[in-house]
């Protein structure tokens, strides 16, 4: 069970300090949300922030590109230290296939994200080519939104495919994750949970990460 705090919810005045705090929290992944103001109605930060935080976080940097033209951002974020790059299935088959090939050719792990209104079957053609399937549990663009319950069956379906096809992809959820919603997603098959607001609003990040991890691990083993 992986917990990935989302940098989007951190103190923007102290990126390096916040990355070090995530590192000390025991979280194995750091989720870096990149928004271009076009694919989503918000702008977050660029490769330079990823470069700044990289030396302060020793784990897996999980870059989530909510961008209309992610192809121009792959190399800058990989140079900044990204370990995996996630792109959205909504970009269309030609673009998605080209992106998957390019990220792989650059030697990094590939993630594919599916927005709440998008049918999970849209991801089906790519399952053998990806390392991570991200089922969005909010409409992308902002932290602090409410969890969309209707996305849970999509997690379950993605887990069924994974088992039926014997595929190794991680099943990630992102948006409105707290101990209750995280446990629900873990019961549905999620093994990688992004959490921003819920974690960064806590006074003790390490305790919050540990509690979320343990609660979701227990839920996943109760399946
Ligand atoms: C939303 C981002 C999420 C967001 C999660 O577009 O992709 O990663 O930061 O934040 P919370 O956990 O606050 O919903
Ligand atoms: Zn995200």
């Amino acid at each position: 069970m992986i917990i990935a705090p989302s940098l989007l919810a951190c103190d923007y005045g102290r990126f390096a300090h916040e990355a070090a705090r995530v590192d000390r929290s025991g979280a194995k992944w750091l989720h870096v949300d990149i928004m271009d103001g076009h694919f989503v109605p918000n702008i977050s930060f660029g490769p330079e922030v990823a470069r700044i935080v990289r030396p302060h976080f020793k784990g897996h940097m999980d870059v989530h590109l909510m961008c209309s033209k992610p192809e121009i951002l792959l190399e800058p974020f990989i140079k900044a230290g990204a370990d995996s790059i996630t792109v959205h299935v909504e970009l269309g088959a030609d673009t998605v296939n080209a992106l998957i090939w390019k990220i792989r050719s650059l030697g990094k792990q590939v993630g594919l994200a599916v927005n709440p209104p998008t049918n999970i079957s849209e991801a089906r053609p790519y399952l053998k080519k990806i390392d991570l399937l991200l089922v969005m549990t909010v409409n992308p663009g902002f932290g602090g939104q409410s969890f969309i319950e209707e996305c849970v069956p999509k997690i379950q379906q993605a887990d069924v495919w994974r088992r039926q096809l014997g595929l190794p992809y991680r099943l990630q959820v992102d948006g409105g994750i707290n101990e209750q919603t995280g446990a629900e997603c873990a019961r549905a098959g999620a093994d990688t949970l992004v959490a921003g607001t819920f974690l960064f609003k806590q006074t003790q990040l390490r305790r919050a990460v540990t509690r979320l991890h343990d609660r979701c691990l227990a839920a996943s083993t109760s399946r």
Side-chain angles (χ1 to χ4, degrees):
M1 187 62 62
I2 295 277
I3 303 298
S6 169
L7 200 67
L8 193 74
C10 83
D11 175 351
Y12 283 26
R14 301 195 298 170
F15 278 121
H17 172 271
E18 294 283 73
R21 199 155 70 98
V22 172
D23 198 66
R24 289 195 304 273
S25 78
K28 299 289 183 281
W29 284 32
L30 176 65
H31 187 77
V32 180
D33 283 311
I34 306 306
M35 302 176 182
D36 65 357
H38 184 264
F39 186 78
V40 292
N42 191 9
I43 294 177
S44 58
F45 28 74
E48 196 52 17
V49 169
R51 188 190 64 77
I52 286 166
V53 304
R54 181 73 272 188
H56 304 279
F57 177 73
K58 294 184 278 299
H60 181 109
M61 187 186 285
D62 169 38
V63 172
H64 177 192
L65 296 181
M66 289 159 275
C67 305
S68 298
K69 294 179 69 64
E71 60 276 11
I72 63 175
L73 296 169
L74 302 182
E75 294 185 42
F77 276 100
I78 288 170
K79 197 165 168 226
D83 295 299
S84 60
I85 295 188
T86 295
V87 294
H88 274 259
V89 74
E90 291 83 11
L91 292 169
D94 291 348
T95 303
V96 169
N97 279 310
L99 287 166
I100 290 173
W101 182 87
K102 182 71 175 167
I103 296 166
R104 279 248 180 280
S105 69
L106 292 167
K108 298 303 173 182
Q109 292 180 21
V110 180
L112 184 67
V114 182
N115 283 337
T118 305
N119 193 301
I120 192 67
S121 62
E122 294 291 312
R124 186 76 175 70
Y126 310 100
L127 296 181
K128 292 182 178 156
K129 306 176 188 175
I130 59 175
D131 302 293
L132 174 140
L133 179 61
L134 167 49
V135 177
M136 291 300 295
T137 44
V138 294
N139 286 298
F142 299 90
Q145 300 179 80
S146 299
F147 179 80
I148 300 175
E149 201 70 41
E150 290 75 12
C151 297
V152 174
K154 295 168 75 173
I155 304 164
Q156 291 166 328
Q157 178 61 69
D159 184 47
V160 165
W161 283 334
R162 180 168 59 175
R163 282 187 276 116
Q164 279 176 346
L165 300 169
L167 294 175
Y169 58 82
R170 282 200 158 275
L171 189 42
Q172 186 179 47
V173 290
D174 182 9
I177 298 299
N178 55 39
E179 288 189 25
Q180 289 69 40
T181 58
E184 184 175 2
C185 291
R187 272 193 296 277
D191 52 45
T192 308
L193 295 99
V194 175
T197 307
F198 174 69
L199 289 176
F200 277 98
K201 75 182 180 187
Q202 314 274 340
T203 48
Q204 292 190 31
L205 188 56
R206 182 178 190 84
R207 186 174 62 184
V209 167
T210 303
R211 280 176 51 103
L212 183 58
H213 173 272
D214 293 352
R215 176 82 184 269
C216 294
L217 184 60
S220 71
T221 48
S222 70
R223 288 183 332 126

